[in-house]
């Protein structure tokens, strides 16, 4: 056949389309040249941070389950104290996984069953007296998780919850159901990471809005802004309402806000700097990614500015009282100060980091902003 | 009017190139609409948001509720298919232009140069006799069929493409693009995991290669396409350039639309070959349309009116991008006169805008959580464009006033980063945005860009 212009054109177009469509499947996961390897970062995140964090959380939940079983069998002061202690350990451990709202966790709304505060006290009491509730309903999200158990164990006012009250069968059953549900939800998430999601996550190493790196960073920033900055500090300090809302602090009944705040902040910083969960190694991280880009482009390393800003935020938060509820009521300016220090880092994260890493926010056609 | 010009107007050319253009453009448009739906964007971009950003003067354009929004897209996609096959062409292309442009006007968050390109091209097509050859219309009514159309019909489309490429090229001749290879120096390194070419993308010289290559391509390609000798080479360049961009960047259908559009530069012979292929696939006799009829411009009133309208359109297209010279400051920072000027893939801009609602009497204040009002995509677009910020501020002001807040003033603490520069304050944080209005005046409240 004579090579007409048309045939030539169709040939070139076909080759072009072939190359383009090949791009859809990522069949070349390990191109390691002297550049930043997203796949390697993703497997470090999955294997050395995320899965160990879930495993560790799972262990604390086992102890929590054991403690509530012991208390259900015998309502002694010792068992109650142990229950409260395991609650706190689990709650702190939860802060390590809260930011990974991806995969199964995202699918089953894990976050919303674990730590929605403030707990809906009336709803909890209603559920207990009815003895008939469905914890899987979205309407019951603020009647479960750590905040709900905190209310039940610590009570709303300063006086200790009477052991008699806690010993009511309905109340014991409700606590037991809440703890069991947390354990089973976490098993589901952990199991998914170990069986399917780990590979899906690591193999999705592209640079579109749906790629793991982009999605993870978007989730990380969302967590930082919404749950850490606003949830733990901004909302109770009245930043978004104009008036102080002390009752919206995290863990107001047990007074453990500060401890939980720092557990969360540590997890955030370790993720950013790429410190493995067991703290034994460091791997590829956002910090390294940023340093790497700064080196290639001979530009300023933003990660240094971010870490410095977090240091200021830490210093400011160290001056806060253990219970942020009390802090808001007694001297809110300190809360606002901490908020401001955190807020300054949000600009660096959401503007400078997002640009440097070329993170896509959403899958939408673009022609360059 | 000079004789030479009269002769030009009377010159006819084969109708095949225009017929192919109509067919491919319509087909790509119907695919675009299906793809848009398939990606869930009708719901995500138009139905889910509570608030939509409007173009100046078009705030009366509303998003049709629920099912009607889908109906609008169905009408648009169907019209595209109908004008592609040349069935009831005049009505189909008119409906397509109106429905497509209406969709674009519903929310400026989604503004893309190539959507604007589609609107402009479909407007031009309303006035061209693109259904006189190889169309259902001409097939059913042979007396309508015309084999030779005025040469200026095809030239009008070529001129439009030259305008697009040349302005896109001129826009690249700036310091960031040519010297710093920005924003490609940000974009390319993140493509390391792209199969085959990934490792190339992190080479230091790559952004400069792409930047200079892109600028030279845009500025010269239409002229290489014009001449027969360089045409094949030029078209290979077109394919290489646009397919590369489609691999590397999320620019959707645009590369394919441009590839199809640039085919208008090819000879009638080439287009006749394409039509013969299509004819043999669908078992239509192409000779059916080869009736030897010429449309003589000077004897055709419609053609003369169309010529006047399109002359105005093209002159307008030449002038519109120049409006940016009327504004001071860095255009990428202020975006004054930025849109509708073929500034494609030219900058990476990231921003963050934190709005403060203040009671002007008591001084009481609180901050807004943007996610309560805007989608992530809207937040992204809003935070780097001053007209979005003003529009949103008014929305917030009115919202909180209606909620019972008094003496509402709206202030913004906004930061933006342009092409790898460190983030800096964007809008003057001391100004109550409720006192500002969107208009074509210079936006003095945008703080100057510190280099």
């Amino acid at each position: 056949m004579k090579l007409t212009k048309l045939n030539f054109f169709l040939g070139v177009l076909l080759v072009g389309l072939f190359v383009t469509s090949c791009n859809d499947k990522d069949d070349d996961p390990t191109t390691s040249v002297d550049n930043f390897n997203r796949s390697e970062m993703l497997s470090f995140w999955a294997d050395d941070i995320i899965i160990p964090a879930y495993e560790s959380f799972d262990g604390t939940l086992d102890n929590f389950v054991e403690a509530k079983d012991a208390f259900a069998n015998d309502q002694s002061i010792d068992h109650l104290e142990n229950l409260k202690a395991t609650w706190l350990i689990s709650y702190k451990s939860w802060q390590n996984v809260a930011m990974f709202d991806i995969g199964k966790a995202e699918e089953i709304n894990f976050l919303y069953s674990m730590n929605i505060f403030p707990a809906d006290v009336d709803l909890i009491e209603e559920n207990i007296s009815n003895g008939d509730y469905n914890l899987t309903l979205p309407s019951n999200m603020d009647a479960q998780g750590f905040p709900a158990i905190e209310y039940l164990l610590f009570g709303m006012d300063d006086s200790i919850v009477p052991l008699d009250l806690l010993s009511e069968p309905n109340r014991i059953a409700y606590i037991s159901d809440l703890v069991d549900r947390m354990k089973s939800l976490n098993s589901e998430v952990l199991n998914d990471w170990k069986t399917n999601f780990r590979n899906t996550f690591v193999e999705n190493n592209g640079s579109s809005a749906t790629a793991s790196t982009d999605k993870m960073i978007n989730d990380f920033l969302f967590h930082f802004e919404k749950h850490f900055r606003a949830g733990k500090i901004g909302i109770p300090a009245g930043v978004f309402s104009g008036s102080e809302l002390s009752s919206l602090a995290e863990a107001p009944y047990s007074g453990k806000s500060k401890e939980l705040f720092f557990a969360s902040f540590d997890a955030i910083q370790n993720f950013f700097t790429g410190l493995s969960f067991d703290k034994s190694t460091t791997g590829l991280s956002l910090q390294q990614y940023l340093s790497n880009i700064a080196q290639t482009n001979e530009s300023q390393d933003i990660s240094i500015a971010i870490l410095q800003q977090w240091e200021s935020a830490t210093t400011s938060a160290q001056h806060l009282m253990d219970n942020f509820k009390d802090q808001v009521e007694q001297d809110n300016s300190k809360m606002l100060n901490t908020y401001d220090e955190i807020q300054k880092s949000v600009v660096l994260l959401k503007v400078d980091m997002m640009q440097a890493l070329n993170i896509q926010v959403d899958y939408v056609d673009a022609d360059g902003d | 009017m000079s004789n030479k010009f009269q002769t030009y107007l009377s010159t006819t050319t084969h109708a095949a190139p225009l017929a192919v253009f109509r067919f491919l453009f319509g087909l790509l448009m119907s695919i675009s609409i299906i793809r848009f739906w398939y990606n869930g964007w009708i719901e995500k971009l138009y139905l889910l948001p509570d608030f939509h950003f409007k173009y100046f003067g078009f705030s009366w354009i509303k998003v049709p509720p629920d099912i009607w929004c889908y109906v609008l897209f169905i009408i648009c996609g169907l019209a595209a298919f109908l004008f592609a096959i040349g069935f009831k062409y005049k009505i189909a292309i008119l409906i397509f232009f109106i429905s497509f442009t209406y969709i674009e006007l519903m929310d400026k968050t989604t503004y893309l140069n190539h959507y604007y390109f589609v609107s402009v091209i479909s407007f031009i097509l309303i006035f061209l006799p693109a259904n006189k050859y190889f169309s259902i219309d001409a097939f059913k009514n042979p007396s309508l069929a015309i084999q030779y159309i005025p040469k200026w019909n095809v030239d009008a489309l070529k001129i439009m493409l030259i305008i697009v490429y040349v302005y896109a090229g001129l826009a690249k001749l700036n310091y960031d693009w040519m010297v710093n290879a920005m924003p490609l120096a940000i974009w390319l390194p993140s493509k390391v995991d792209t199969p085959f070419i990934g490792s190339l993308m992190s080479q230091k010289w790559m952004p400069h290669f792409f930047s200079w290559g892109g600028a030279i391509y845009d500025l010269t390609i239409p002229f290489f396409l014009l001449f027969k000798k360089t045409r094949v080479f030029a078209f290979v360049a077109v394919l290489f350039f646009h397919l590369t961009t489609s691999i590397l960047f999320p620019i959707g259908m645009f590369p394919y639309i441009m590839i199809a559009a640039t085919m208008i530069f090819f000879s009638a012979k080439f287009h006749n070959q394409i039509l013969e292929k299509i004819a043999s696939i669908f078992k239509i006799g192409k000779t059916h349309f080869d009736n030897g009829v010429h449309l003589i411009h000077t004897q055709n009133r419609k053609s003369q009116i169309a010529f006047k309208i399109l002359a105005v359109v093209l002159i307008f297209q030449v002038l519109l991008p120049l409006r940016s010279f009327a504004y001071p400051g860095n255009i990428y920072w202020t975006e004054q006169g930025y849109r509708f000027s073929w500034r494609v893939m030219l900058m990476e801009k990231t921003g963050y805008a934190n709005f403060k609602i203040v009671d002007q009497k008591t001084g009481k204040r609180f901050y807004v959580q943007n996610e309560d009002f805007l989608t992530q995509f809207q937040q992204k677009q809003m935070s780097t464009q001053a007209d979005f910020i003003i529009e949103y501020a008014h929305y917030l002001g009115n919202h909180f006033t209606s909620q019972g807040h008094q003496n509402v003033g709206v202030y913004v603490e906004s930061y933006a980063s342009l092409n790898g520069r460190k983030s800096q304050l964007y809008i003057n944080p001391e100004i109550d945005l409720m006192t500002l209005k969107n208009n074509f005046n210079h936006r003095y409240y945008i703080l100057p860009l510190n280099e």
Side-chain angles (χ1 to χ4, degrees):
Chain A
M1 193 166 78
K2 209 176 78 192
L3 183 76
T4 61
K5 223 186 255 175
L6 178 61
N7 282 325
F8 172 74
F9 162 72
L10 287 176
V12 177
L13 190 63
L14 276 177
V15 171
L17 286 174
F18 175 72
V19 174
T20 321
S21 61
C22 278
N23 180 49
D24 288 343
K25 31 182 207 302
D26 283 357
D27 47 7
D28 189 13
T30 49
T31 42
S32 92
V33 208
D34 55 333
N35 50 50
F36 201 88
N37 191 324
R38 286 190 176 206
S39 310
E40 207 181 310
M41 179 169 71
L42 292 173
S43 34
F44 178 75
W45 283 353
D47 300 335
D48 294 275
I49 298 180
I50 300 176
I51 294 175
Y54 273 111
E55 276 172 337
S56 165
F57 180 45
D58 208 51
T60 67
L61 285 174
D62 284 336
N63 295 337
F64 197 17
V65 170
E66 240 170 68
K68 66 93 183 158
D69 285 343
F71 182 73
N73 285 333
D74 171 18
Q75 291 89 44
S76 71
I77 289 286
D78 282 354
H79 283 155
L80 178 57
E81 288 310 315
N82 187 40
L83 184 54
K84 286 179 178 175
T86 51
W87 167 83
L88 180 61
I89 292 167
S90 278
Y91 204 173
K92 280 164 74 178
S93 183
W94 154 256
Q95 308 292 337
N96 293 322
V97 299
M99 72 182 99
F100 306 125
D101 191 22
I102 192 168
K104 190 56 104 184
E106 186 183 17
E107 188 191 316
I108 63 171
N109 282 326
F110 192 37
L111 177 73
Y112 295 93
S113 303
M114 300 301 270
N115 194 22
I116 289 297
F117 56 91
D120 187 335
V121 170
D122 295 335
L123 185 60
I124 293 170
E125 291 299 343
E126 198 186 306
N127 283 345
I128 290 174
S129 57
N130 285 345
D132 177 31
Y133 41 82
N134 180 353
L135 293 174
T136 60
L137 290 179
S139 58
N140 267 329
M141 273 173 178
D142 29 12
Q144 59 184 299
F146 291 107
I149 298 174
E150 185 204 18
Y151 158 71
L152 292 167
L153 295 182
F154 295 86
M156 284 181 84
D157 47 29
D158 290 337
S159 57
I160 293 164
V161 183
L163 203 51
D164 288 354
L165 180 69
L166 263 174
S167 305
E168 285 173 7
N170 270 9
R171 207 160 276 262
I172 290 177
Y174 195 67
I175 293 175
S176 178
D177 286 347
L178 295 187
V179 179
D180 285 340
R181 178 168 160 76
M182 288 159 79
K183 165 70 190 167
S184 86
L185 287 176
N186 190 58
S187 302
E188 198 180 340
V189 175
L190 175 60
N191 189 44
D192 191 59
W193 267 102
K194 282 173 146 176
T195 51
N196 310 309
F197 193 64
R198 188 263 173 213
N199 287 342
T200 318
F201 179 77
V202 172
E203 279 159 19
N204 187 7
N205 62 3
S207 56
S208 67
T210 50
S212 292
T213 312
D214 298 60
K215 216 173 162 312
M216 194 67 233
I217 293 173
N218 280 316
D219 287 349
F220 173 73
L221 287 184
F222 185 79
H223 173 78
F224 187 82
E225 234 191 321
K226 182 98 181 163
H227 300 300
F228 179 72
R229 177 200 63 146
K232 293 183 198 301
I233 303 284
I235 291 173
V239 170
F240 306 105
S241 53
S243 46
E244 297 154 12
L245 300 167
S246 64
S247 63
L248 300 189
E250 189 174 30
Y253 311 136
S254 61
K256 301 294 182 192
S257 330
K258 189 176 175 180
E259 240 176 285
L260 296 170
F261 171 87
F262 275 112
S264 171
F265 204 2
D266 282 346
I268 286 166
Q269 297 186 57
N270 293 345
F271 179 77
F272 181 80
T273 55
L275 182 65
S276 66
F277 185 76
D278 63 9
K279 304 197 168 38
S280 63
T281 53
T282 50
L284 289 185
S285 63
L286 293 178
Q287 187 195 358
Q288 278 198 24
Y289 202 153
L290 288 169
S291 302
N292 193 289
I293 282 172
Q295 241 169 35
T296 326
N297 294 349
E298 286 153 22
S299 57
Q300 205 181 342
D301 186 351
I302 305 144
S303 72
I304 295 171
I306 292 171
L307 289 172
Q308 274 171 357
Q309 191 51 48
W310 281 349
E311 231 164 86
S312 312
T314 304
T315 311
S316 169
Q318 275 160 352
H319 293 113
L320 297 176
M321 299 166 78
D322 286 344
N323 191 344
F324 289 175
K325 179 174 185 282
D326 296 342
Q327 184 66 65
V328 170
E329 285 165 2
Q330 291 171 29
D331 182 5
N332 194 36
S333 67
K334 285 195 173 137
M335 285 288 275
L336 292 174
N337 184 267
T338 303
Y339 180 84
D340 289 342
E341 295 300 330
I342 297 172
Q343 179 62 22
K344 284 179 201 158
S345 74
V346 170
V347 175
L348 295 169
L349 290 166
K350 287 201 83 173
V351 183
D352 299 72
M353 183 176 87
M354 288 294 268
Q355 172 152 124
L357 301 185
N358 191 25
I359 298 301
Q360 308 297 315
V361 169
D362 211 336
Y363 175 54
V364 184
D365 285 349
D367 59 9
D369 296 313
Chain B
M1 225 179 284
S2 74
N3 263 348
K4 226 175 172 181
F5 193 62
Q6 283 296 334
T7 321
Y8 168 74
L9 286 179
S10 311
T11 315
T12 53
T13 183
H14 201 287
L18 190 58
V20 171
F21 187 89
R22 177 205 81 220
F23 178 70
L24 290 179
F25 182 67
L27 209 61
L28 284 169
M29 283 308 108
S30 32
I31 294 171
S32 295
I33 298 290
I34 293 168
R35 174 176 171 269
F36 201 89
W37 186 324
Y38 173 78
N39 282 331
W41 289 340
I42 299 179
E43 195 183 354
K44 185 162 142 184
L45 299 176
Y46 295 113
L47 291 175
L48 281 182
D50 295 326
F51 172 71
H52 293 285
F53 290 96
K54 298 296 181 193
Y55 288 98
F56 183 75
F58 288 94
S59 52
W60 51 276
I61 298 261
K62 300 277 182 269
V63 176
D66 312 312
I67 186 83
W68 294 106
C69 196
Y70 288 93
V71 171
L72 177 61
F73 276 85
I74 292 172
I75 291 172
C76 186
L78 213 58
F81 182 74
L82 291 181
F83 86 71
I85 59 172
F87 182 69
K88 306 265 184 212
Y89 173 79
K90 285 275 152 173
I91 294 173
I93 187 72
L94 188 67
I95 289 177
F96 176 78
F97 166 72
I98 292 171
S99 57
F100 189 90
T101 307
Y102 187 93
I103 290 168
E104 292 326 308
L105 291 174
M106 292 194 307
D107 193 334
K108 70 181 172 193
T109 314
T110 56
Y111 170 79
L112 290 184
N113 283 290
H114 75 254
Y115 292 149
Y116 174 58
F117 177 75
V118 169
S119 282
V120 172
I121 291 292
S122 55
F123 186 78
I124 292 174
L125 281 178
I126 296 173
F127 301 98
L128 296 181
N131 63 329
K132 301 297 180 190
Y133 191 77
F134 210 73
S135 69
I136 308 276
D137 287 344
F139 187 78
K140 284 173 57 173
N141 188 353
S143 67
L144 276 180
I146 293 171
Q147 193 183 353
Y148 298 94
I149 54 169
K151 188 171 178 297
W152 73 258
N153 289 176
V154 179
D155 289 346
L157 289 169
K158 288 183 187 169
I159 291 169
M160 191 60 228
L161 282 167
I162 293 173
I163 293 172
V164 172
Y165 274 119
V166 170
Y167 270 120
L170 289 175
K172 290 185 170 69
L173 302 179
N174 68 71
Y175 191 84
D176 275 9
W177 183 272
M178 301 300 282
V179 180
N180 294 334
M182 279 293 179
L184 285 160
I186 294 174
W187 290 338
L188 294 183
S190 71
K191 307 295 169 188
V192 154
D193 290 298
T194 308
F196 305 120
I197 52 172
S199 55
L200 272 176
M201 291 307 134
S202 59
Q203 302 298 320
K204 261 197 107 164
W205 50 270
M206 211 54 183
H208 279 96
F209 177 75
F210 267 65
S211 290
W212 285 73
I216 293 167
Y217 169 84
D218 278 339
L219 287 171
T220 59
I221 200 71
F223 306 104
F224 284 124
L225 282 165
L226 271 178
F227 301 107
K228 196 166 182 287
K229 271 190 179 164
T230 51
R231 200 173 287 145
V232 174
F233 152 76
F235 196 72
V236 172
V238 167
L239 288 174
F240 177 78
F241 178 83
H242 286 296
L243 291 176
T244 310
T245 58
S246 94
I247 289 171
L248 289 176
F249 307 115
I251 50 177
M253 297 293 290
F254 185 59
Y256 307 104
I257 294 168
M258 288 315 280
I259 288 169
T262 47
M263 285 169 63
I264 191 81
F265 286 97
F266 276 79
S267 64
K269 194 176 142 213
F270 172 77
H271 287 95
N272 272 314
Q273 281 178 17
I274 293 181
L275 293 181
E276 270 159 25
K277 273 264 150 84
I278 299 173
S280 73
I281 293 169
F282 291 100
K283 309 238 178 328
I284 326 163
K286 180 175 171 293
T287 46
H288 188 91
F289 303 98
D290 295 333
N291 59 5
V293 175
H294 288 253
L295 194 161
I296 307 294
H297 176 79
T298 43
Q299 300 164 7
N300 187 305
R301 245 188 86 73
K302 271 189 191 168
S303 180
Q304 287 160 15
I305 294 169
F307 180 81
K308 282 176 190 140
I309 292 172
L310 293 186
V312 172
V313 169
L314 292 177
I315 290 168
F316 180 73
Q317 285 299 328
V318 172
L319 297 178
L320 188 63
L322 301 175
R323 73 189 190 284
S324 64
F325 288 112
Y327 297 103
N330 182 318
I331 183 172
Y332 303 101
W333 182 248
T334 68
E335 299 197 36
Q336 300 182 109
Y338 188 82
R339 291 182 207 119
F340 315 117
S341 305
W342 317 115
R343 293 193 170 83
V344 192
M345 309 292 299
L346 271 177
M347 64 170 173
E348 175 62 36
K349 204 172 172 192
T350 324
Y352 177 73
N354 201 13
F355 289 84
K356 187 165 68 180
I357 309 295
V358 179
D359 184 326
Q360 307 272 36
K361 284 236 171 79
T362 65
K364 266 192 86 165
R365 61 186 60 190
F366 63 92
Y367 286 90
V368 175
Q369 308 211 60
N370 290 330
E371 63 267 28
D372 292 347
F373 301 97
L374 303 179
T375 63
Q376 275 216 317
F377 181 56
Q378 286 179 316
Q379 289 179 52
K380 177 187 152 75
Q381 299 287 31
M382 176 274 291
S383 59
T384 58
Q385 297 176 65
D387 55 333
F388 282 65
I389 291 178
I390 301 299
E391 199 178 343
Y392 179 52
H394 278 267
Y395 173 74
L396 289 175
N398 297 335
H399 171 82
F400 286 109
T401 302
S402 75
Q403 290 231 315
H405 293 270
Q406 292 184 342
N407 318 309
V408 168
V410 182
Y411 297 80
V412 70
E413 289 157 12
S414 61
Y415 292 83
S417 166
L418 174 67
N419 288 345
R421 291 172 183 82
K422 198 176 171 339
S423 59
Q424 50 183 289
L425 268 176
Y426 185 48
I427 300 289
N428 188 334
E430 308 294 331
I431 297 181
D432 176 9
L433 302 180
M434 292 300 276
T435 64
L436 301 176
K437 276 203 181 81
N438 271 331
N439 52 37
F440 293 125
N441 295 340
H442 168 52
R443 299 181 190 277
Y444 61 89
Y445 42 87
I446 301 177
L447 297 171
L449 174 69
N450 296 321
E451 293 292 342

